[in-house]
Structure formats: C-alpha cells, structure tokens
Amino acid sequence: MQWWQITLIWFLCFYSISIFILSLRFPEKHLDWNKLDLDDLRFPKDFCWGVATASHQIEGNNHNNWSEFEKNNGLEESGIACDHWNRWNQDFELIKELGVGHYRFSIEWSRIQPTKDVWDDLIVKQYSEMVDDLISKGIEPMITLHHFSHPVWFQDEGGFEIEDNVSYWINFCEIIFNELSDRVKWWCTINEPAVFTTMGYVLGEFPPGARSFKKARSVSKNMMSAHAQCYRNLKKLPNGEDSNIGFVKNINIFDPYKRWNIFHWIQAKILDEMFNKCWLRGLKTGRFRAPSSIFSQKIDGLRGSADFIGVNYYTHLLTTPFMPTSVELEPLKRPWEIRTDFRYPMYAEGLRRSFEMVENLGVPIYVTENGVADKNDDFRPEHIRKHLWITSRAILDGFNVKGFFHWSLMDNFEWAEGYAQRFGLYHVNYETQKRTLKESGKLYSGIIKKNSMPQIVILAGGLGTRLGDLTEKIPKSLVKVNGKPIITHILNWAHGQGCRNALILTGHNGHKFKNFNHDKMSLTFNQEIEPLGTGGALFNSLDLLEDNFILLWGDDYHPIQYEKLVNQHFNSNSKLTMTVTESHKSMNLKHFEGRLINYDKTNPLEDFNGYEAGTSLVSKSIVEKYGKPGKWGWEQTIYSKISEDIFIHLDNTKFWDIGTPDRLSKLEDFFKEGGAR
Ligand code: BGC
C-alpha cells in the first residue's frame, strides 16, 4: 500500500468517527407525530398562559427608528397598524375572551420621549390605565422595555452602537419601572438582542440597515451591558425585589443540512455559537464574547442577571457554508417538514432542544413567544398542538417551564415583511380593523380553559347572626380578619392557587360591596333583588357561571390545594365533587367508597364519618338541571337529590369559619402567625 492510500484510509476513519460522534452528541430529533396523542396535554394549574405583542407592531402611527427605516427603504409602512393605541380597550376584552391570564406587550419609548428633551406624561398615563384595565380583567401584564423600536433621536445619536447612549435607555426603564412596578410584576429587558444586531447590523434587514461586523460587535456588547444595568438598577428600586425581571432570547436551532458533511457541521456550530451560545454563556458567567469577536470580556452585573429566561422559539435552520444571507430566500428544510409562510420550516422538536439549551441557567423558563405565520390558518392549529405537546412533555420530564405566550394575539406588522405575514390568533381586517377569532384561536383558548383553574364562585350574601354588631351593617364576608375582609383572604388564597376570575354572589346586599376590589383577580358581582338563599343565588347567576366552577362560601377560609380537587373532579367525570374533612369536631355526612351517602347538617347520625369543608367543584349542568327560580338552599336541595352522584375529595386541611366571635378570633390569630402557606 502506498503512503497516500494509508493516509487516505486514516483520514476516512478519522472523518467517519468524528461525524459519528457529532451525530450521536447532537442528534436532530424528529418525532413520529402520528404515533403521539397530541391531546394528552398536562399542565400544572398555575401554569401561565399568555399571548404576546410588541408596541410598534400593533399600536399604529409610531414615529421611531422603524417608521423611518420603512420610509427610507421603500418597505411596506406600519402606518396605523392595528390601531391598538385607540382600541386597546376592546383588544383587552379579546384577550380576556381567550381565557389567558398573562399578556406580554412592550412600551413604546418613542411615544414617551419623542425628542430628547420631551417627556410625555399623558402617554405614560395611558400605559398605566392599560395596566389597570388588564389587572381588572384578571390578566397579569408582562412588559418588554425594548422590542426592536426606539426614538429617532436615540438612533441619530448612534443608538446602541455607542456605549454612552445606554444610559438614555436605562433612564427610560427606571422611570417606567417607578410608574408601573407597583402593579406590574413581570419585566423583560431587551427582546432578542441577537436578532436585533444580526438583522440590523449584519444582514441589514432591520434599522439601521448596516452590514458591519464591527458595529454588530459593539451593539451586541452594549446591549448585553444595557440588559445587565437595567436588571441591576431596577432590582434596587422600590418593588424591584418582588419583580421578575428576565432576559428574552430567540433560540434558533442550527442543524447541518447534510449530516455527513463536516463543513455543514462547522457552519452549524459557528452559527449556534454566534446566535445562541455566546449570549447564554454571557448570562451565566458574566463574560461575553460578542459574535465574531475573538476575546470575551467581563460585563459588570451580567452574571446571573435574570430571574427567568424568556425563550422565543420559531424554527431550526439547516446549515451549509453557502446559506442565503437574505431572509427573502427560501431556507432549506427536510422533505417532510411544512414550510410556513415565513419560508422557514415548522419544527416543534426544536422547542425541546431550546429548553435543553437554556436549562443550565438554573432559572424558570417562559416561552415568551411561539407562533407561526400562516395566512389562512391552515397549519396553525397543528403548530399550536405540537408545540404545546412538546412543552407539556418537557414539564413532565422535569424542565422548569412555567409559562407559554403565543405570538401573537392578533395579526400585525411583521417588521421588514410588512403585513403579509399573519401570526395572530385573531384575524385583523386592516381595512375595517375588525378582529375575528381564528379556528386556531378557538383551539388555543379551549386548551387553556381546560388546563387552567376554573372560575371561583363565592356565596357572599350571608349575614352573620351570631356576630352581633359586627355584621349588623355588613355581610359576613366583609368582616375584617387581621385587617382585611375575610373575602380578601379567600381571594388571595384562590389567586395563589392559580385562579384568575371570581364571581361574587352578593345576595340582596350587593351595594355593600360597592368599593370592594382585589388587586389581582377579575371580579364580577351579582346582586339579587330579593333574598334567594344559596341555591337561588346560583340559579339566578346561570348566565355568569362557567361550565365548571369552584364553589366557596364567603365566610369560610379553607386553604387547600385546589389542583388535587380539580383533577379528581375531571378525572372521575363527576358533576359535583365536595371536599370532606375527617378531622373536624362534628360530622355532617356519611361517605363510602368516594361517594356521598347521607348528608344532614342539623341532625347528624351516629355513623357519620365526615364534615363538608366548603370547597366544592360544581358543573353548571347541576344548577341547570335541579335549580329553580325563587328562594332555595343549595345543600338541602342538591345534596339530597343527587347524593350518590356526589364524589368525595378527602382533605383534612384545617377549615376556618367566622361563625362566632370565638372562631373569628382564632382565625385572626392564625393570620397573625403567618396564615397558610
Ligand atoms: C419577534 C417578533 C416577531 C416574531 C415573528 C420575533 O422574533 O420578537 O416581534 O413578530 O419573531 O417573526
């Protein structure tokens, strides 16, 4: 054998082994979706379900770096966009109708500070009203402080290219945080800095349309530093410690197009490093090596500067050394993959790989964006189901994924792509500004409703007979315990269990609740014209009841884990599941093999073995079937009629009521000692 033959054999062996190891170490997973049950979704009941938008994409008539760029480059102009600045009120109704409990949106710096020396308080006021309105609807706001757009003056001064400019943005962040952090607990600093720099300074597709690695390096570094400063400074402000401030990273998965081709692998690894790894490593270690630089540098305050990591995931890209550098060209895809309207493929498996990539940051993961451009809503339903399945499975496998925000609430201005790409759950007719829920929107909403805590319904009309003066003028549920009405304690507990909406049946004394509010829950009150009793109150509220609801008593405090009760109810297909404690002084029912056998509040029998603890899960169909107009009592009527069809949920957690001054003072002590946790 000649020397070159030996060399060739050695080379081929080395090459095959390297490719083999790479393939093993970095598999490109593809699931056989036909074999999977996509309806098998399991999410914790306190999972954060949301939708996301960004100011420049929906508000309309913004004047910023983007609007200038659109004009100067002959792009489709954002113009009035979704006219959200004037229609936010109706749009928030749409969010509520979806059933999501969270909404991620961005604050438009250019509106608030249109020129360097003008600060528009009226605009801040509107954002503040928007926040209040969201909260009153039971929707928690999550604010992004920079989502691709900023004032023209800032850009004119060099934007994030210049290190000294960062302080302008930090100043804006601090003021906004001071205004809103008493109500807003979720903050994202900068949206996708890697996209901002690559698109704006390498590919030239975003403002300022530059193509310079040198500038891209400075912008990357300054943005990382801006993020770190923002995080550290906001944490020091009032409410800072209680706020969740995170970093939002777009994860692009890069896979070699030909898995036997080392050049494709090299390209994949370079892009992965530049687009994903260097940013995540920076966050973890505090040392950042900006894409295309040789050396890393320490950035003050960067290490660990995220209370959560926001993952924006859309696709994977198949790499070759000759990949298109223009987003208009079709990226490569596997033959079986769907090509989305944005030309890149749908690859849900990449979401799991994104979780794997961010996991070692050791902070909770939120999918802050995931969605698809699909004009006719042909494959969005499938997109949603697959990505939620991946998320649900990841949670079961132990990933700390806490929330999912669909991109986007409604069709909107898709940056350089204009209005052609439609990402919304609601279709927007840009001529009339009419919003219409798409089939995919209905699907997402249905999944959320199935996986969220049901509505709570509180019977709050009861007047205390044994509390003397205390309840002469107010219903029992408004009696203060440790400084707050008992109903506030009940709502606090329910909110902690993941509930967002409460229907309060105020009896005929509804006016007493006139100024009653809760800082986190969306409350609906229903007052009766004449006293109707507990059953009558429910029947009177049929239109306001959801299909299944958690029924509570306005004068009882019962800090149990709702999730167990809810799961039991749905798993057993029950129509009424009642919580029963076996460790109560007195008994008022008999249960056997998980069913109610007998219930008698006034004359308990010898063989009674449980006490109804007050938290039940009820299907509306029961109220419809057995209810009647007029005055009637819930327990006396319903429990006797369907007793054996009532399922028992055993839970011996202590149950508190304020029926007598003595019991009231015991509950008072309990709260003074810290209450339930
Ligand atoms: C951005 C959004 C954009 C979405 C869809 C994300 O990278 O944050 O603003 O609309 O992708 O392309």
Side-chain angles (χ1 to χ4, degrees):
M1 223 187 273
Q2 307 239 336
W3 68 267
W4 62 268
Q5 287 172 316
I6 299 174
T7 316
L8 185 64
I9 291 172
W10 271 105
F11 173 76
L12 286 177
C13 287
F14 176 73
Y15 187 89
S16 326
I17 292 172
S18 313
I19 294 284
F20 179 71
I21 294 175
L22 277 170
S23 290
L24 273 189
R25 173 91 180 73
F26 306 104
E28 179 186 325
K29 270 183 226 142
H30 285 274
L31 296 170
D32 185 352
W33 291 101
N34 292 327
K35 292 214 177 101
L36 300 171
D37 176 7
L38 295 190
D39 292 327
D40 181 18
L41 298 177
R42 276 168 272 168
F43 289 93
K45 287 285 182 291
D46 60 354
F47 190 73
C48 301
W49 292 100
V51 283
T53 63
S55 56
H56 187 65
Q57 296 181 269
I58 59 167
E59 285 182 353
N61 293 330
N62 284 335
H63 182 225
N64 55 24
N65 59 330
W66 258 96
S67 61
E68 285 291 290
F69 185 72
E70 294 154 23
K71 208 167 54 203
N72 297 337
N73 289 277
L75 296 179
E76 183 169 9
E77 293 190 24
S78 47
I80 193 176
C82 304
D83 194 24
H84 175 73
W85 189 249
N86 299 309
R87 295 169 191 262
W88 59 270
N89 226 300
Q90 296 104 291
D91 287 341
F92 290 175
E93 277 300 326
L94 301 182
I95 303 180
K96 179 157 188 194
E97 276 162 31
L98 283 176
V100 300
H102 290 75
Y103 174 50
R104 172 174 176 240
F105 64 104
S106 69
I107 301 261
E108 184 59 38
W109 180 14
S110 66
R111 274 187 189 273
I112 294 173
Q113 204 175 0
T115 59
K116 202 170 170 183
D117 47 4
V118 170
W119 184 267
D120 194 335
D121 283 327
L122 282 178
I123 303 284
V124 180
K125 191 164 163 267
Q126 172 159 329
Y127 279 120
S128 177
E129 277 165 25
M130 288 161 80
V131 162
D132 285 340
D133 191 63
L134 285 169
I135 293 172
S136 76
K137 292 187 160 66
I139 301 163
E140 280 196 50
M142 176 188 262
I143 287 181
T144 308
L145 288 159
H146 189 276
H147 195 127
F148 298 166
S149 59
H150 49 234
V152 176
W153 63 264
F154 179 73
Q155 188 62 48
D156 288 346
E157 293 201 13
F160 286 102
E161 284 167 50
I162 314 289
E163 194 177 345
D164 286 348
N165 289 350
V166 168
S167 58
Y168 294 128
W169 180 68
I170 297 290
N171 181 48
F172 156 77
C173 296
E174 287 180 354
I175 299 181
I176 294 299
F177 192 83
N178 278 333
E179 292 286 339
L180 305 177
S181 63
D182 56 336
R183 288 152 289 153
V184 178
K185 297 294 160 216
W186 297 93
W187 297 84
C188 305
T189 56
I190 299 178
N191 181 67
E192 307 182 345
V195 174
F196 181 86
T197 38
T198 316
M199 297 295 278
Y201 292 87
V202 180
L203 300 178
E205 308 263 351
F206 278 17
R211 275 180 171 259
S212 150
F213 276 109
K214 188 165 176 262
K215 285 187 181 172
R217 281 195 294 272
S218 322
V219 175
S220 306
K221 196 216 114 203
N222 293 337
M223 282 201 132
M224 263 315 219
S225 163
H227 157 78
Q229 288 178 49
C230 178
Y231 178 85
R232 299 292 163 204
N233 290 15
L234 300 192
K235 279 281 161 189
K236 279 189 223 134
L237 294 176
N239 308 314
E241 274 313 313
D242 311 335
S243 299
N244 303 285
I245 306 174
F247 183 75
V248 173
K249 179 76 194 81
N250 174 298
I251 303 286
N252 240 322
I253 304 288
F254 295 97
D255 285 312
Y257 178 49
K258 301 279 182 217
R259 293 184 68 79
W260 49 262
N261 188 325
I262 196 75
F263 296 107
H264 294 193
W265 275 102
I266 293 172
Q267 181 72 345
K269 290 294 146 203
I270 292 175
L271 290 176
D272 185 34
E273 169 64 23
M274 287 170 69
F275 203 83
N276 302 318
K277 297 284 165 53
C278 70
W279 303 86
L280 297 171
R281 198 181 314 111
L283 211 54
K284 175 98 185 157
T285 62
R287 289 194 73 81
F288 181 53
R289 187 157 68 85
S292 86
S293 19
I294 302 177
F295 301 109
S296 65
Q297 48 189 314
K298 182 172 182 294
I299 294 188
D300 284 342
L302 181 61
R303 189 170 162 191
S305 56
D307 299 330
F308 66 90
I309 180 79
V311 168
N312 291 359
Y313 174 73
Y314 289 93
T315 191
H316 74 155
L317 290 176
L318 301 178
T319 60
T320 72
F322 311 105
M323 286 170 75
T325 55
S326 163
V327 285
E328 280 86 39
L329 298 175
E330 286 200 339
L332 294 161
K333 70 169 196 71
R334 300 292 175 212
W336 57 87
E337 288 175 345
I338 291 177
R339 192 179 287 289
T340 68
D341 291 1
F342 217 127
R343 302 171 289 276
Y344 51 68
M346 184 202 298
Y347 175 62
E349 294 86 336
L351 181 57
R352 168 69 175 237
R353 293 169 67 189
S354 307
F355 296 150
E356 286 163 5
M357 211 184 280
V358 300
E359 195 192 13
N360 85 334
L361 291 173
V363 289
I365 304 169
Y366 289 78
V367 179
T368 33
E369 282 181 35
N370 176 254
V372 64
D374 172 20
K375 189 160 184 266
N376 299 322
D377 208 33
D378 293 327
F379 40 81
R380 186 174 293 100
E382 177 178 340
H383 189 277
I384 292 176
R385 295 174 77 215
K386 285 185 173 168
H387 287 81
L388 289 182
W389 188 90
I390 291 280
T391 309
S392 155
R393 189 46 56 108
I395 296 171
L396 292 177
D397 290 346
F399 285 88
N400 194 12
V401 187
K402 295 288 198 188
F404 189 102
F405 292 70
H406 186 272
W407 183 272
S408 176
L409 165 67
M410 57 189 159
D411 296 336
N412 58 43
F413 177 71
E414 180 50 37
W415 309 111
E417 300 277 324
Y419 289 102
Q421 307 289 349
R422 290 181 175 267
F423 274 90
L425 293 174
Y426 284 92
H427 173 270
V428 176
N429 177 332
Y430 294 112
E431 303 275 296
T432 59
Q433 289 297 344
K434 186 168 184 280
R435 283 80 157 124
T436 313
L437 188 61
K438 300 177 188 176
E439 281 308 310
S440 54
K442 292 182 194 158
L443 173 88
Y444 187 57
S445 174
I447 294 175
I448 293 170
K449 287 183 181 150
K450 220 163 144 190
N451 285 282
S452 307
M453 275 294 168
Q455 165 196 43
I456 58 169
V457 177
I458 307 184
L459 293 163
L463 298 168
T465 41
R466 286 174 290 174
L467 287 175
D469 291 355
L470 271 179
T471 51
E472 226 165 59
K473 296 213 180 69
I474 50 169
K476 255 202 288 187
S477 54
L478 289 176
V479 168
K480 287 199 173 150
V481 193
N482 200 25
K484 287 183 204 136
I486 183 166
I487 192 166
T488 303
H489 294 287
I490 297 172
L491 289 167
N492 287 348
W493 181 260
H495 184 264
Q497 293 298 304
C499 299
R500 309 260 155 239
N501 300 307
L503 170 63
I504 300 181
L505 308 186
T506 59
H508 74 293
N509 272 317
H511 55 282
K512 301 270 164 71
F513 288 82
K514 207 165 132 228
N515 297 320
F516 183 77
N517 217 326
H518 190 264
D519 57 355
K520 294 202 180 82
M521 296 273 272
S522 162
L523 307 183
T524 309
F525 296 92
N526 200 23
Q527 181 176 1
E528 295 145 27
I529 302 167
E530 48 174 11
L532 292 173
T534 47
L538 282 164
F539 192 77
N540 184 46
S541 310
L542 265 181
D543 292 346
L544 299 169
L545 297 178
E546 287 179 8
D547 289 348
N548 288 281
F549 57 90
I550 298 175
L551 182 61
L552 303 172
W553 301 81
D555 51 347
D556 293 344
Y557 185 71
H558 190 208
I560 61 161
Q561 300 302 319
Y562 291 176
E563 182 148 5
K564 292 186 190 157
L565 167 69
V566 175
N567 286 342
Q568 186 188 328
H569 181 78
F570 288 112
N571 293 340
S572 59
N573 267 327
S574 165
K575 295 270 178 275
L576 202 168
T577 310
M578 129 194 320
T579 309
V580 168
T581 164
E582 288 179 329
S583 55
H584 194 259
K585 265 194 267 123
S586 54
M587 299 281 146
N588 61 11
L589 57 83
K590 179 179 162 90
H591 66 94
F592 181 64
E593 292 187 337
R595 306 282 181 127
L596 180 68
I597 305 295
N598 197 353
Y599 176 90
D600 198 330
K601 211 171 162 179
T602 35
N603 300 306
L605 299 176
E606 269 291 293
D607 62 347
F608 275 18
N609 56 359
Y611 185 83
E612 191 207 353
T615 308
S616 3
L617 231 152
V618 182
S619 301
K620 178 181 176 177
S621 57
I622 293 275
V623 188
E624 283 167 334
K625 191 163 171 197
Y626 299 103
K628 54 178 189 284
K631 187 170 180 179
W632 55 280
W634 174 251
E635 300 133 299
Q636 301 85 328
T637 315
I638 300 293
Y639 295 173
S640 60
K641 276 206 174 107
I642 59 163
S643 99
E644 281 210 30
D645 288 329
I646 296 180
F647 284 65
I648 298 300
H649 171 67
L650 277 182
D651 186 319
N652 289 337
T653 305
K654 191 162 166 45
F655 156 88
W656 307 84
D657 70 73
I658 55 168
T660 63
D662 179 43
R663 299 212 284 256
L664 174 63
S665 91
K666 286 206 173 112
L667 181 56
E668 183 102 28
D669 293 343
F670 173 67
F671 283 128
K672 278 197 183 119
E673 283 156 22
R677 266 170 268 261

